[in-house]
Amino acid sequence: MRSIVWFLVLAVAAVVGATALGANDGLVTIYWLGWRADISLNLFLLGLVLIFLAVYSLVRGLDGLLALPERAKRWRVSQRDRVAQAALREGLALYMAGRYTRAHKACQRAVAIQADTPELTLDAEFTALAHLLSAGSLHRLQDRKRRDEHLQRAIDLSRLTRKPRATEEGARLLAAECALEDRDARRALHDLSELPPGVARRTQALRLKLQATRLARQPVEALKTARLLAKHQGFTHVAAEGLLRTLAIETLDSARDADQLRALWQNLDSNDRKDPLVVAHAARLMADLGAQLEARQWLAPLWDRIAQLTPDAVDALSNALSHSLLGLEAEWLPRLDATTQAALRNPALALTLGLALSERQLWGKARGMLLSAANDLQLDLERRRMAWAKLGQLAEREHRPEEAARFYRLAALPDRD
């Protein structure tokens, strides 16, 4: 099809040429210093075209000849750029292969090639990436001094790149990770604080911040960070639940008095304040600080549905209530009676009920619960001794010294399991 088109074009050109130039009636006369030359118009036009083509070819040839040094220079720069890029790729491959010394050398070779080529020095991102990879390699080699130098150089160079500065963000994250492995929480938090707000909320940045705040013993900030990570699905549900519970407990442990504990409790998330293990820990701390009434108020909502809770939660709530029985109100008696059946299957709950009923001076009911707890080998030794000791006190109150002495002996005996 193409040959047919060219044939038609050639035929049209032949027809046009024959029509325009076929008569050849024109004459061109040229006068030059007394000389005269007559030539046909067709020959003149053909000569004019040939002269134009010759001049054009000469100009192009001279231009190519004069531009040859520049073209050679561009070729050399291109070759050096390819060599530098190859060195950086080699460094990355060696880094991934765990050959950190060679990776560092390959990256520095790329930096040296770029530094020796002025035309390549404008590519700040390339140099920053090379320094970043060198810093990672030196970190694996435990060369902290040179690692920090390369990291700072990468950060300084990345600021010269166009936004968004992904290289600077990567350098900051790597610097924070290195600081964490050096156990320097302050420096890690400083590097993370330099990140833009959007970058600081990314999963990797939040993971590093969580590690840094825990290392710096800042449980409140760590808990906030863990909540963000859980919201971004940075953990599985089970892992997030356990971590948030641990951090909530660490947050409560940082309180030094009842007012501070109360403020920390109010700042906890509503889900944390519904967690039985967190509530039990908070109540025990509050009871130890002397505010036993408030501790029981925190325990009451969960105690009302204690039959629906797991054995671990029941054990924790029972232990917390046993530490906050001083001045137990009469309104707790219905709650205690409602858990009597469950207490027969749970020795920790039986012990707490016995202590609570004893606090309310219901000696008969208390004695039965305490005997059940003391004779249950599933209960740990310390709490069984507590039950025997309380039984001894009840026997003394009822003026049964021999029975009291026997209970006290059982409390003092070593573990018989």
Side-chain angles (χ1 to χ4, degrees):
M1 186 65 184
R2 183 179 298 177
S3 60
I4 296 175
V5 172
W6 279 110
F7 179 76
L8 291 175
V9 171
L10 184 60
V12 170
V15 171
V16 172
T19 303
L21 304 175
N24 198 20
D25 295 332
L27 185 67
V28 175
T29 302
I30 300 175
Y31 296 93
W32 180 259
L33 297 178
W35 294 88
R36 171 184 171 180
D38 296 325
I39 56 176
S40 66
L41 179 61
N42 292 349
L43 181 60
F44 175 76
L45 293 175
L46 182 60
L48 193 62
V49 170
L50 292 175
I51 292 172
F52 173 76
L53 291 176
V55 171
Y56 177 75
S57 299
L58 180 62
V59 171
R60 287 294 302 272
L62 289 174
D63 181 66
L65 184 63
L66 295 175
L68 191 59
E70 182 63 27
R71 291 173 59 191
K73 181 180 179 181
R74 286 200 301 269
W75 181 84
R76 288 194 300 270
V77 170
S78 176
Q79 286 294 104
R80 295 182 69 84
D81 184 41
R82 280 196 290 269
V83 173
Q85 295 284 351
L88 184 61
R89 289 195 298 271
E90 180 187 2
L92 178 59
L94 291 169
Y95 178 83
M96 299 301 293
R99 308 182 74 172
Y100 302 117
T101 302
R102 293 193 178 189
H104 169 65
K105 290 179 179 179
C107 293
Q108 291 311 295
R109 188 165 64 251
V111 172
I113 292 172
Q114 190 187 43
D116 291 340
T117 310
E119 292 79 7
L120 298 179
T121 54
L122 298 177
D123 190 358
E125 186 174 9
F126 175 87
T127 313
L129 285 172
H131 283 293
L132 195 58
L133 196 53
S134 282
S137 301
L138 292 170
H139 174 68
R140 302 300 179 190
L141 296 171
Q142 298 296 311
D143 190 345
R144 293 182 175 84
K145 182 179 179 181
R146 288 199 296 165
R147 176 203 67 191
D148 293 341
E149 292 175 357
H150 283 287
L151 273 175
Q152 188 58 48
R153 183 62 177 155
I155 292 173
D156 294 340
L157 288 170
S158 59
R159 290 173 178 169
L160 304 177
T161 60
R162 296 187 301 273
K163 293 185 178 181
R165 299 195 292 257
T167 310
E168 181 182 1
E169 296 164 6
R172 294 286 184 190
L173 290 174
L174 178 60
E177 185 177 353
C178 294
L180 283 174
E181 293 194 18
D182 293 344
R183 311 296 292 174
D184 189 347
R186 184 188 60 80
R187 185 158 60 91
L189 289 172
H190 172 73
D191 289 324
L192 291 171
S193 67
E194 295 294 325
L195 292 172
V199 181
R201 295 177 68 87
R202 293 176 186 167
T203 301
Q204 176 62 12
L206 289 174
R207 288 182 187 277
L208 294 174
K209 186 177 181 181
L210 176 60
Q211 296 178 42
T213 49
R214 296 196 72 181
L215 183 61
R217 300 187 183 279
Q218 299 176 6
V220 177
E221 192 65 29
L223 183 58
K224 293 178 182 178
T225 306
R227 285 200 192 108
L228 283 175
L229 266 175
K231 182 179 179 181
H232 294 339
Q233 298 181 348
F235 306 110
T236 62
H237 176 71
V238 176
E241 183 180 3
L243 178 62
L244 290 174
R245 176 181 297 150
T246 301
L247 291 174
I249 290 174
E250 289 180 2
T251 300
L252 295 172
D253 285 338
S254 64
R256 295 294 177 267
D257 52 46
D259 291 335
Q260 189 178 7
L261 179 59
R262 195 175 295 113
L264 291 173
W265 174 257
Q266 292 300 324
N267 288 331
L268 289 180
D269 189 72
S270 59
N271 293 327
D272 296 330
R273 294 201 298 270
K274 295 177 183 177
D275 189 323
L277 298 181
V278 176
V279 174
H281 191 79
R284 181 167 179 174
L285 289 175
M286 185 60 80
D288 292 341
L289 292 172
Q292 300 201 9
L293 173 60
E294 191 166 0
R296 290 193 294 271
Q297 291 174 350
W298 291 352
L299 291 171
L302 288 174
W303 195 272
D304 291 337
R305 55 185 184 88
I306 197 169
Q308 306 170 12
L309 302 178
T310 63
D312 290 341
V314 173
D315 188 78
L317 291 173
S318 301
N319 192 24
L321 182 60
S322 66
H323 283 77
S324 53
L325 292 175
L326 185 62
L328 184 68
E329 304 88 346
E331 65 184 40
W332 269 86
L333 290 177
R335 294 192 179 101
L336 298 177
D337 289 338
T339 58
T340 301
Q341 293 299 322
L344 297 177
R345 300 184 299 272
N346 190 313
L349 185 56
L351 173 63
T352 300
L353 257 64
L355 295 175
L357 292 170
S358 175
E359 178 69 22
R360 293 299 306 172
Q361 299 182 0
L362 299 174
W363 316 120
K365 291 183 178 181
R367 180 185 176 88
M369 287 296 171
L370 291 171
L371 281 172
S372 175
N375 288 302
D376 196 323
L377 298 181
Q378 294 182 359
L379 193 64
D380 61 85
L381 179 61
E382 181 181 355
R383 286 189 282 184
R384 284 166 54 202
R385 284 175 172 169
M386 182 188 301
W388 288 122
K390 191 64 179 179
L391 284 168
Q393 294 175 11
L394 292 181
E396 284 184 341
R397 181 180 295 274
E398 295 172 356
H399 305 289
R400 296 199 297 269
E402 294 181 0
E403 187 175 338
R406 181 170 63 87
F407 287 149
Y408 285 136
R409 273 198 311 273
L410 291 171
L413 286 176
D415 190 7
R416 298 169 295 158
D417 295 350

